[in-house]
Short mmCIF file of all heavy atoms in Angstrom, two decimals:
data_model
loop_
_atom_site.label_atom_id
_atom_site.label_comp_id
_atom_site.label_asym_id
_atom_site.label_seq_id
_atom_site.Cartn_x
_atom_site.Cartn_y
_atom_site.Cartn_z
N MET I 42 5.07 39.46 11.84
CA MET I 42 5.93 38.94 10.80
C MET I 42 6.10 37.42 10.87
O MET I 42 6.79 36.84 10.06
CB MET I 42 7.30 39.61 10.88
CG MET I 42 7.30 41.07 10.55
SD MET I 42 6.67 41.33 8.90
CE MET I 42 5.79 42.83 9.12
N GLU I 43 5.43 36.84 11.83
CA GLU I 43 5.52 35.40 11.97
C GLU I 43 4.93 34.69 10.76
O GLU I 43 5.40 33.61 10.37
CB GLU I 43 4.80 34.96 13.24
CG GLU I 43 4.95 33.51 13.56
CD GLU I 43 4.27 33.15 14.87
OE1 GLU I 43 4.20 33.99 15.77
OE2 GLU I 43 3.80 32.00 14.95
N TYR I 44 3.94 35.31 10.13
CA TYR I 44 3.32 34.68 8.96
C TYR I 44 4.31 34.59 7.80
O TYR I 44 4.21 33.68 6.97
CB TYR I 44 2.05 35.43 8.54
CG TYR I 44 2.28 36.85 8.10
CD1 TYR I 44 2.51 37.13 6.76
CD2 TYR I 44 2.26 37.90 9.00
CE1 TYR I 44 2.72 38.42 6.34
CE2 TYR I 44 2.47 39.20 8.60
CZ TYR I 44 2.70 39.46 7.27
OH TYR I 44 2.92 40.74 6.85
N LEU I 45 5.26 35.52 7.71
CA LEU I 45 6.28 35.44 6.67
C LEU I 45 7.16 34.21 6.86
O LEU I 45 7.54 33.54 5.88
CB LEU I 45 7.16 36.69 6.66
CG LEU I 45 6.60 37.93 5.98
CD1 LEU I 45 7.57 39.10 6.13
CD2 LEU I 45 6.30 37.67 4.54
N VAL I 46 7.48 33.90 8.11
CA VAL I 46 8.32 32.74 8.40
C VAL I 46 7.58 31.47 8.01
O VAL I 46 8.15 30.57 7.36
CB VAL I 46 8.73 32.72 9.88
CG1 VAL I 46 9.48 31.45 10.22
CG2 VAL I 46 9.57 33.95 10.21
N TRP I 47 6.30 31.37 8.36
CA TRP I 47 5.54 30.17 8.04
C TRP I 47 5.29 30.04 6.55
O TRP I 47 5.37 28.94 5.98
CB TRP I 47 4.21 30.16 8.80
CG TRP I 47 4.41 29.83 10.24
CD1 TRP I 47 4.36 30.70 11.29
CD2 TRP I 47 4.72 28.55 10.79
NE1 TRP I 47 4.61 30.04 12.46
CE2 TRP I 47 4.84 28.72 12.18
CE3 TRP I 47 4.91 27.30 10.24
CZ2 TRP I 47 5.14 27.66 13.03
CZ3 TRP I 47 5.21 26.24 11.09
CH2 TRP I 47 5.32 26.43 12.47
N ALA I 48 5.01 31.15 5.90
CA ALA I 48 4.80 31.11 4.44
C ALA I 48 6.10 30.73 3.73
O ALA I 48 6.10 29.93 2.78
CB ALA I 48 4.31 32.47 3.95
N GLY I 49 7.21 31.28 4.19
CA GLY I 49 8.51 30.93 3.61
C GLY I 49 8.86 29.48 3.83
O GLY I 49 9.40 28.81 2.94
N GLY I 50 8.57 28.97 5.01
CA GLY I 50 8.83 27.56 5.28
C GLY I 50 8.00 26.65 4.39
O GLY I 50 8.49 25.63 3.89
N THR I 51 6.76 27.03 4.17
CA THR I 51 5.89 26.25 3.29
C THR I 51 6.41 26.26 1.86
O THR I 51 6.46 25.22 1.20
CB THR I 51 4.45 26.81 3.33
OG1 THR I 51 4.00 26.80 4.69
CG2 THR I 51 3.52 26.00 2.47
N LEU I 52 6.82 27.44 1.38
CA LEU I 52 7.37 27.52 0.03
C LEU I 52 8.65 26.70 -0.11
O LEU I 52 8.87 26.03 -1.13
CB LEU I 52 7.65 28.97 -0.35
CG LEU I 52 6.45 29.82 -0.75
CD1 LEU I 52 6.89 31.24 -1.05
CD2 LEU I 52 5.75 29.23 -1.95
N SER I 53 9.48 26.75 0.90
CA SER I 53 10.73 25.98 0.86
C SER I 53 10.46 24.48 0.82
O SER I 53 11.11 23.74 0.08
CB SER I 53 11.61 26.31 2.06
OG SER I 53 12.08 27.63 1.98
N ILE I 54 9.51 24.04 1.61
CA ILE I 54 9.17 22.62 1.61
C ILE I 54 8.59 22.20 0.26
O ILE I 54 8.93 21.13 -0.27
CB ILE I 54 8.21 22.30 2.77
CG1 ILE I 54 8.96 22.41 4.09
CG2 ILE I 54 7.59 20.92 2.61
CD1 ILE I 54 8.08 22.29 5.31
N LEU I 55 7.73 23.04 -0.32
CA LEU I 55 7.18 22.72 -1.64
C LEU I 55 8.30 22.66 -2.69
O LEU I 55 8.29 21.80 -3.57
CB LEU I 55 6.13 23.76 -2.04
CG LEU I 55 4.81 23.69 -1.28
CD1 LEU I 55 3.92 24.86 -1.70
CD2 LEU I 55 4.12 22.38 -1.53
N GLY I 56 9.25 23.58 -2.59
CA GLY I 56 10.38 23.56 -3.51
C GLY I 56 11.22 22.30 -3.35
O GLY I 56 11.67 21.71 -4.34
N MET I 57 11.44 21.88 -2.12
CA MET I 57 12.22 20.67 -1.89
C MET I 57 11.48 19.43 -2.41
O MET I 57 12.10 18.52 -2.96
CB MET I 57 12.52 20.51 -0.40
CG MET I 57 13.50 21.53 0.14
SD MET I 57 15.09 21.49 -0.68
CE MET I 57 15.69 19.91 -0.14
N ILE I 58 10.17 19.41 -2.25
CA ILE I 58 9.38 18.30 -2.80
C ILE I 58 9.52 18.27 -4.32
O ILE I 58 9.68 17.21 -4.92
CB ILE I 58 7.91 18.41 -2.36
CG1 ILE I 58 7.78 18.12 -0.87
CG2 ILE I 58 7.02 17.47 -3.17
CD1 ILE I 58 6.43 18.42 -0.29
N GLY I 59 9.50 19.44 -4.94
CA GLY I 59 9.69 19.52 -6.38
C GLY I 59 11.06 19.03 -6.81
O GLY I 59 11.20 18.34 -7.83
N LEU I 60 12.09 19.37 -6.05
CA LEU I 60 13.44 18.90 -6.37
C LEU I 60 13.55 17.39 -6.25
O LEU I 60 14.17 16.73 -7.10
CB LEU I 60 14.46 19.59 -5.47
CG LEU I 60 14.70 21.08 -5.75
CD1 LEU I 60 15.57 21.69 -4.66
CD2 LEU I 60 15.33 21.27 -7.10
N VAL I 61 12.95 16.83 -5.22
CA VAL I 61 12.98 15.38 -5.06
C VAL I 61 12.22 14.71 -6.20
O VAL I 61 12.66 13.68 -6.73
CB VAL I 61 12.39 14.98 -3.68
CG1 VAL I 61 12.16 13.49 -3.59
CG2 VAL I 61 13.31 15.45 -2.57
N TRP I 62 11.11 15.30 -6.63
CA TRP I 62 10.36 14.75 -7.75
C TRP I 62 11.21 14.74 -9.02
O TRP I 62 11.18 13.76 -9.78
CB TRP I 62 9.08 15.56 -7.98
CG TRP I 62 8.31 15.07 -9.16
CD1 TRP I 62 7.42 14.05 -9.18
CD2 TRP I 62 8.38 15.58 -10.49
NE1 TRP I 62 6.93 13.89 -10.46
CE2 TRP I 62 7.51 14.81 -11.28
CE3 TRP I 62 9.10 16.60 -11.08
CZ2 TRP I 62 7.35 15.05 -12.63
CZ3 TRP I 62 8.94 16.83 -12.43
CH2 TRP I 62 8.07 16.06 -13.19
N CYS I 63 11.98 15.80 -9.24
CA CYS I 63 12.85 15.86 -10.42
C CYS I 63 13.90 14.76 -10.38
O CYS I 63 14.17 14.10 -11.39
CB CYS I 63 13.52 17.22 -10.52
SG CYS I 63 12.40 18.57 -10.93
N VAL I 64 14.51 14.56 -9.22
CA VAL I 64 15.53 13.51 -9.09
C VAL I 64 14.92 12.14 -9.34
O VAL I 64 15.49 11.31 -10.06
CB VAL I 64 16.19 13.59 -7.69
CG1 VAL I 64 17.05 12.38 -7.43
CG2 VAL I 64 16.99 14.87 -7.55
N VAL I 65 13.75 11.89 -8.78
CA VAL I 65 13.10 10.60 -8.96
C VAL I 65 12.73 10.39 -10.44
O VAL I 65 12.89 9.29 -10.97
CB VAL I 65 11.86 10.48 -8.05
CG1 VAL I 65 11.01 9.27 -8.40
CG2 VAL I 65 12.29 10.43 -6.60
N SER I 66 12.27 11.43 -11.10
CA SER I 66 11.90 11.31 -12.52
C SER I 66 13.11 10.93 -13.37
O SER I 66 13.02 10.07 -14.25
CB SER I 66 11.32 12.62 -13.02
OG SER I 66 10.13 12.93 -12.37
N VAL I 67 14.24 11.57 -13.11
CA VAL I 67 15.44 11.27 -13.89
C VAL I 67 15.96 9.88 -13.56
O VAL I 67 16.40 9.13 -14.45
CB VAL I 67 16.51 12.35 -13.64
CG1 VAL I 67 17.84 11.95 -14.26
CG2 VAL I 67 16.05 13.69 -14.20
N MET I 68 15.88 9.48 -12.29
CA MET I 68 16.33 8.12 -11.93
C MET I 68 15.48 7.06 -12.61
O MET I 68 16.00 6.05 -13.08
CB MET I 68 16.31 7.95 -10.42
CG MET I 68 17.44 8.65 -9.71
SD MET I 68 17.36 8.57 -7.91
CE MET I 68 17.12 6.85 -7.60
N ARG I 69 14.17 7.28 -12.67
CA ARG I 69 13.29 6.33 -13.36
C ARG I 69 13.63 6.24 -14.84
O ARG I 69 13.62 5.16 -15.42
CB ARG I 69 11.83 6.75 -13.20
CG ARG I 69 11.26 6.47 -11.85
CD ARG I 69 9.81 6.86 -11.81
NE ARG I 69 9.26 6.70 -10.48
CZ ARG I 69 8.15 7.23 -10.07
NH1 ARG I 69 7.43 7.98 -10.89
NH2 ARG I 69 7.73 7.05 -8.83
N ALA I 70 13.91 7.38 -15.45
CA ALA I 70 14.25 7.39 -16.87
C ALA I 70 15.56 6.65 -17.12
O ALA I 70 15.70 5.93 -18.12
CB ALA I 70 14.33 8.82 -17.37
N LYS I 71 16.52 6.81 -16.22
CA LYS I 71 17.80 6.12 -16.40
C LYS I 71 17.66 4.62 -16.20
O LYS I 71 18.32 3.83 -16.87
CB LYS I 71 18.84 6.68 -15.44
CG LYS I 71 19.32 8.06 -15.82
CD LYS I 71 20.39 8.55 -14.88
CE LYS I 71 21.72 8.09 -15.42
NZ LYS I 71 22.85 8.69 -14.72
N ARG I 72 16.79 4.21 -15.29
CA ARG I 72 16.57 2.78 -15.04
C ARG I 72 15.88 2.09 -16.20
O ARG I 72 16.03 0.89 -16.39
CB ARG I 72 15.76 2.58 -13.77
CG ARG I 72 16.55 2.78 -12.52
CD ARG I 72 15.73 2.39 -11.32
NE ARG I 72 16.43 2.79 -10.10
CZ ARG I 72 15.83 3.14 -8.99
NH1 ARG I 72 14.52 3.13 -8.92
NH2 ARG I 72 16.54 3.50 -7.93
N LYS I 73 15.09 2.84 -16.96
CA LYS I 73 14.38 2.25 -18.09
C LYS I 73 15.32 1.87 -19.21
O LYS I 73 14.95 1.12 -20.10
CB LYS I 73 13.33 3.22 -18.63
CG LYS I 73 12.10 3.35 -17.76
CD LYS I 73 11.10 4.28 -18.41
CE LYS I 73 9.88 4.46 -17.54
NZ LYS I 73 8.92 5.40 -18.15
N GLY I 74 16.54 2.38 -19.18
CA GLY I 74 17.49 2.06 -20.23
C GLY I 74 17.14 2.71 -21.56
O GLY I 74 17.24 2.09 -22.61
N LEU I 75 16.72 3.95 -21.51
CA LEU I 75 16.32 4.66 -22.72
C LEU I 75 17.55 4.98 -23.58
O LEU I 75 18.68 5.01 -23.10
CB LEU I 75 15.61 5.97 -22.35
CG LEU I 75 14.35 5.85 -21.51
CD1 LEU I 75 13.84 7.22 -21.13
CD2 LEU I 75 13.29 5.08 -22.25
N SER I 76 17.31 5.23 -24.84
CA SER I 76 18.39 5.65 -25.72
C SER I 76 18.83 7.06 -25.36
O SER I 76 18.16 7.76 -24.58
CB SER I 76 17.95 5.59 -27.18
OG SER I 76 16.97 6.59 -27.42
N ASP I 77 19.93 7.49 -25.94
CA ASP I 77 20.45 8.82 -25.61
C ASP I 77 19.46 9.93 -25.97
O ASP I 77 19.29 10.88 -25.21
CB ASP I 77 21.77 9.07 -26.34
CG ASP I 77 22.92 8.30 -25.72
OD1 ASP I 77 22.79 7.89 -24.54
OD2 ASP I 77 23.95 8.14 -26.39
N GLU I 78 18.82 9.79 -27.10
CA GLU I 78 17.87 10.82 -27.53
C GLU I 78 16.65 10.87 -26.60
O GLU I 78 16.17 11.96 -26.25
CB GLU I 78 17.42 10.57 -28.98
CG GLU I 78 18.53 10.76 -29.99
CD GLU I 78 19.06 12.18 -29.99
OE1 GLU I 78 18.25 13.12 -29.84
OE2 GLU I 78 20.29 12.34 -30.11
N GLU I 79 16.14 9.72 -26.22
CA GLU I 79 14.98 9.68 -25.32
C GLU I 79 15.34 10.21 -23.94
O GLU I 79 14.56 10.95 -23.33
CB GLU I 79 14.44 8.26 -25.22
CG GLU I 79 13.83 7.74 -26.50
CD GLU I 79 13.52 6.26 -26.45
OE1 GLU I 79 14.16 5.53 -25.67
OE2 GLU I 79 12.63 5.85 -27.21
N LEU I 80 16.53 9.84 -23.46
CA LEU I 80 16.98 10.34 -22.16
C LEU I 80 17.19 11.84 -22.20
O LEU I 80 16.85 12.56 -21.26
CB LEU I 80 18.25 9.62 -21.73
CG LEU I 80 18.75 9.88 -20.32
CD1 LEU I 80 17.69 9.50 -19.29
CD2 LEU I 80 20.04 9.14 -20.05
N ARG I 81 17.73 12.32 -23.30
CA ARG I 81 17.93 13.77 -23.46
C ARG I 81 16.58 14.50 -23.45
O ARG I 81 16.44 15.58 -22.86
CB ARG I 81 18.67 14.04 -24.75
CG ARG I 81 19.10 15.48 -24.93
CD ARG I 81 19.86 15.67 -26.23
NE ARG I 81 20.98 14.76 -26.33
CZ ARG I 81 22.23 15.06 -26.00
NH1 ARG I 81 22.49 16.26 -25.52
NH2 ARG I 81 23.19 14.18 -26.14
N ALA I 82 15.57 13.92 -24.08
CA ALA I 82 14.23 14.53 -24.10
C ALA I 82 13.65 14.58 -22.69
O ALA I 82 13.02 15.58 -22.31
CB ALA I 82 13.32 13.76 -25.03
N VAL I 83 13.85 13.52 -21.91
CA VAL I 83 13.36 13.51 -20.53
C VAL I 83 14.07 14.58 -19.71
O VAL I 83 13.44 15.33 -18.95
CB VAL I 83 13.54 12.12 -19.89
CG1 VAL I 83 13.27 12.16 -18.41
CG2 VAL I 83 12.65 11.10 -20.57
N LEU I 84 15.38 14.67 -19.88
CA LEU I 84 16.14 15.67 -19.12
C LEU I 84 15.74 17.08 -19.51
O LEU I 84 15.65 17.96 -18.66
CB LEU I 84 17.64 15.47 -19.34
CG LEU I 84 18.24 14.23 -18.69
CD1 LEU I 84 19.69 14.07 -19.10
CD2 LEU I 84 18.12 14.29 -17.20
N GLN I 85 15.48 17.31 -20.79
CA GLN I 85 15.05 18.63 -21.22
C GLN I 85 13.67 18.99 -20.69
O GLN I 85 13.38 20.17 -20.46
CB GLN I 85 15.06 18.72 -22.75
CG GLN I 85 16.45 18.83 -23.32
CD GLN I 85 16.45 18.88 -24.83
OE1 GLN I 85 15.42 18.63 -25.47
NE2 GLN I 85 17.59 19.19 -25.41
N SER I 86 12.83 18.01 -20.48
CA SER I 86 11.50 18.31 -19.94
C SER I 86 11.54 18.52 -18.42
O SER I 86 10.71 19.23 -17.86
CB SER I 86 10.51 17.20 -20.28
OG SER I 86 10.82 16.02 -19.56
N VAL I 87 12.53 17.91 -17.75
CA VAL I 87 12.62 18.03 -16.29
C VAL I 87 13.37 19.30 -15.88
O VAL I 87 13.12 19.85 -14.80
CB VAL I 87 13.28 16.76 -15.70
CG1 VAL I 87 13.63 16.93 -14.24
CG2 VAL I 87 12.37 15.57 -15.88
N LEU I 88 14.27 19.78 -16.73
CA LEU I 88 15.11 20.92 -16.36
C LEU I 88 14.32 22.17 -15.96
O LEU I 88 14.62 22.76 -14.92
CB LEU I 88 16.08 21.24 -17.50
CG LEU I 88 17.03 22.41 -17.23
CD1 LEU I 88 18.01 22.03 -16.13
CD2 LEU I 88 17.76 22.80 -18.48
N PRO I 89 13.31 22.62 -16.71
CA PRO I 89 12.56 23.81 -16.27
C PRO I 89 11.84 23.59 -14.93
O PRO I 89 11.76 24.51 -14.11
CB PRO I 89 11.55 24.05 -17.38
CG PRO I 89 12.02 23.28 -18.54
CD PRO I 89 12.86 22.17 -18.03
N LYS I 90 11.35 22.38 -14.72
CA LYS I 90 10.68 22.09 -13.44
C LYS I 90 11.69 22.11 -12.30
O LYS I 90 11.38 22.57 -11.20
CB LYS I 90 9.98 20.74 -13.52
CG LYS I 90 8.87 20.73 -14.54
CD LYS I 90 8.33 19.34 -14.77
CE LYS I 90 7.35 19.39 -15.92
NZ LYS I 90 7.43 18.26 -16.78
N ASN I 91 12.89 21.62 -12.58
CA ASN I 91 13.94 21.63 -11.58
C ASN I 91 14.32 23.07 -11.20
O ASN I 91 14.44 23.39 -10.02
CB ASN I 91 15.16 20.87 -12.12
CG ASN I 91 16.22 20.67 -11.07
OD1 ASN I 91 16.00 20.90 -9.89
ND2 ASN I 91 17.39 20.25 -11.51
N LEU I 92 14.49 23.91 -12.19
CA LEU I 92 14.84 25.31 -11.92
C LEU I 92 13.70 26.04 -11.21
O LEU I 92 13.94 26.87 -10.32
CB LEU I 92 15.20 26.02 -13.22
CG LEU I 92 16.50 25.56 -13.88
CD1 LEU I 92 16.68 26.25 -15.23
CD2 LEU I 92 17.67 25.82 -12.98
N GLY I 93 12.47 25.73 -11.57
CA GLY I 93 11.33 26.34 -10.89
C GLY I 93 11.24 25.92 -9.43
O GLY I 93 10.96 26.74 -8.56
N ALA I 94 11.50 24.65 -9.17
CA ALA I 94 11.47 24.16 -7.79
C ALA I 94 12.60 24.79 -6.98
O ALA I 94 12.41 25.15 -5.81
CB ALA I 94 11.58 22.64 -7.77
N LEU I 95 13.76 24.94 -7.60
CA LEU I 95 14.87 25.58 -6.92
C LEU I 95 14.56 27.04 -6.61
O LEU I 95 14.84 27.53 -5.51
CB LEU I 95 16.13 25.47 -7.77
CG LEU I 95 17.42 25.98 -7.17
CD1 LEU I 95 17.77 25.20 -5.90
CD2 LEU I 95 18.55 25.89 -8.17
N LEU I 96 13.96 27.74 -7.56
CA LEU I 96 13.57 29.13 -7.34
C LEU I 96 12.54 29.24 -6.22
O LEU I 96 12.64 30.13 -5.36
CB LEU I 96 13.00 29.72 -8.63
CG LEU I 96 12.47 31.15 -8.52
CD1 LEU I 96 13.62 32.12 -8.27
CD2 LEU I 96 11.71 31.53 -9.76
N LEU I 97 11.59 28.34 -6.20
CA LEU I 97 10.56 28.35 -5.15
C LEU I 97 11.19 28.14 -3.78
O LEU I 97 10.85 28.82 -2.81
CB LEU I 97 9.53 27.27 -5.44
CG LEU I 97 8.25 27.29 -4.64
CD1 LEU I 97 7.46 28.55 -4.97
CD2 LEU I 97 7.43 26.07 -4.95
N SER I 98 12.14 27.23 -3.70
CA SER I 98 12.81 26.96 -2.44
C SER I 98 13.63 28.17 -1.99
O SER I 98 13.61 28.53 -0.81
CB SER I 98 13.71 25.73 -2.60
OG SER I 98 14.34 25.43 -1.39
N VAL I 99 14.33 28.79 -2.91
CA VAL I 99 15.14 29.97 -2.56
C VAL I 99 14.25 31.13 -2.12
O VAL I 99 14.56 31.82 -1.14
CB VAL I 99 16.04 30.37 -3.75
CG1 VAL I 99 16.66 31.73 -3.54
CG2 VAL I 99 17.12 29.33 -3.96
N LEU I 100 13.15 31.34 -2.82
CA LEU I 100 12.23 32.42 -2.42
C LEU I 100 11.65 32.15 -1.04
O LEU I 100 11.47 33.09 -0.24
CB LEU I 100 11.12 32.57 -3.45
CG LEU I 100 11.51 33.18 -4.79
CD1 LEU I 100 10.33 33.16 -5.73
CD2 LEU I 100 12.05 34.57 -4.62
N GLY I 101 11.35 30.90 -0.76
CA GLY I 101 10.85 30.56 0.57
C GLY I 101 11.88 30.84 1.66
O GLY I 101 11.55 31.39 2.71
N LEU I 102 13.13 30.49 1.40
CA LEU I 102 14.17 30.77 2.39
C LEU I 102 14.39 32.27 2.56
O LEU I 102 14.67 32.74 3.67
CB LEU I 102 15.47 30.08 1.98
CG LEU I 102 15.45 28.57 2.09
CD1 LEU I 102 16.73 27.98 1.54
CD2 LEU I 102 15.24 28.13 3.53
N MET I 103 14.24 33.02 1.47
CA MET I 103 14.36 34.48 1.58
C MET I 103 13.23 35.05 2.43
O MET I 103 13.45 35.96 3.25
CB MET I 103 14.36 35.11 0.19
CG MET I 103 15.65 34.86 -0.56
SD MET I 103 15.64 35.33 -2.29
CE MET I 103 15.05 36.99 -2.26
N LEU I 104 12.01 34.51 2.27
CA LEU I 104 10.89 34.97 3.10
C LEU I 104 11.13 34.65 4.57
O LEU I 104 10.80 35.46 5.45
CB LEU I 104 9.59 34.33 2.64
CG LEU I 104 8.85 35.00 1.50
CD1 LEU I 104 7.62 34.19 1.12
CD2 LEU I 104 8.47 36.40 1.86
N VAL I 105 11.70 33.49 4.84
CA VAL I 105 12.01 33.13 6.22
C VAL I 105 13.00 34.12 6.80
O VAL I 105 12.82 34.61 7.93
CB VAL I 105 12.56 31.69 6.30
CG1 VAL I 105 13.15 31.40 7.67
CG2 VAL I 105 11.47 30.68 5.98
N MET I 106 14.03 34.45 6.06
CA MET I 106 15.05 35.39 6.56
C MET I 106 14.45 36.79 6.78
O MET I 106 14.73 37.43 7.79
CB MET I 106 16.23 35.48 5.58
CG MET I 106 17.03 34.20 5.50
SD MET I 106 17.66 33.62 7.10
CE MET I 106 18.73 34.95 7.52
N VAL I 107 13.62 37.24 5.85
CA VAL I 107 12.98 38.56 6.02
C VAL I 107 12.07 38.55 7.24
O VAL I 107 12.05 39.50 8.03
CB VAL I 107 12.21 38.94 4.74
CG1 VAL I 107 11.30 40.14 4.98
CG2 VAL I 107 13.18 39.23 3.61
N GLY I 108 11.31 37.48 7.40
CA GLY I 108 10.43 37.38 8.57
C GLY I 108 11.20 37.37 9.87
O GLY I 108 10.79 37.97 10.87
N LEU I 109 12.36 36.70 9.88
CA LEU I 109 13.17 36.69 11.11
C LEU I 109 13.79 38.04 11.39
O LEU I 109 13.87 38.46 12.55
CB LEU I 109 14.26 35.62 10.99
CG LEU I 109 13.78 34.17 11.05
CD1 LEU I 109 14.94 33.22 10.81
CD2 LEU I 109 13.13 33.88 12.38
N PHE I 110 14.25 38.73 10.35
CA PHE I 110 14.86 40.04 10.55
C PHE I 110 13.84 41.07 11.01
O PHE I 110 14.15 41.95 11.83
CB PHE I 110 15.53 40.54 9.29
CG PHE I 110 16.87 39.91 9.03
CD1 PHE I 110 17.20 39.49 7.75
CD2 PHE I 110 17.80 39.74 10.04
CE1 PHE I 110 18.41 38.89 7.50
CE2 PHE I 110 19.02 39.16 9.80
CZ PHE I 110 19.34 38.74 8.52
N LEU I 111 12.60 40.97 10.52
CA LEU I 111 11.59 41.96 10.87
C LEU I 111 10.89 41.68 12.20
O LEU I 111 10.23 42.57 12.74
CB LEU I 111 10.54 42.05 9.76
CG LEU I 111 11.05 42.63 8.43
CD1 LEU I 111 9.93 42.61 7.39
CD2 LEU I 111 11.59 44.03 8.60
N SER I 112 11.03 40.48 12.71
CA SER I 112 10.36 40.19 13.98
C SER I 112 11.27 40.43 15.16
O SER I 112 12.37 40.81 15.08
CB SER I 112 9.85 38.75 14.00
OG SER I 112 10.91 37.83 13.90
#
């Protein structure tokens, strides 16, 4: 079951990288001084990626927990 722990850790790290990418994307958009409509469009495009990265991270942590319980 050790492979579950490593696979879960990898998924969690990928999810965290995705979350950091979302934060950086929104910070860049805010620094550009975009109008409200343009900023809203950027936020709407980043939101699904943010939720997907969060889901990936949670699934990875769940795999880690299952691997620890089964080993």
Side-chain angles (χ1 to χ4, degrees):
M42 293 301 144
E43 186 177 329
Y44 64 91
L45 280 177
V46 174
W47 285 105
T51 303
L52 283 178
S53 292
I54 289 172
L55 289 175
M57 290 301 293
I58 290 170
L60 289 171
V61 169
W62 177 84
C63 290
V64 169
V65 169
S66 296
V67 171
M68 285 176 50
R69 284 183 185 163
K71 287 183 89 170
R72 284 187 189 149
K73 286 183 182 178
L75 301 175
S76 68
D77 285 340
E78 293 299 321
E79 293 170 336
L80 188 59
R81 188 179 306 264
V83 170
L84 290 174
Q85 285 179 349
S86 70
V87 170
L88 181 67
K90 296 171 187 141
N91 188 11
L92 291 175
L95 185 61
L96 177 68
L97 192 65
S98 182
V99 168
L100 288 176
L102 290 175
M103 288 170 51
L104 275 177
V105 168
M106 293 304 297
V107 168
L109 289 176
F110 282 136
L111 292 178
S112 62

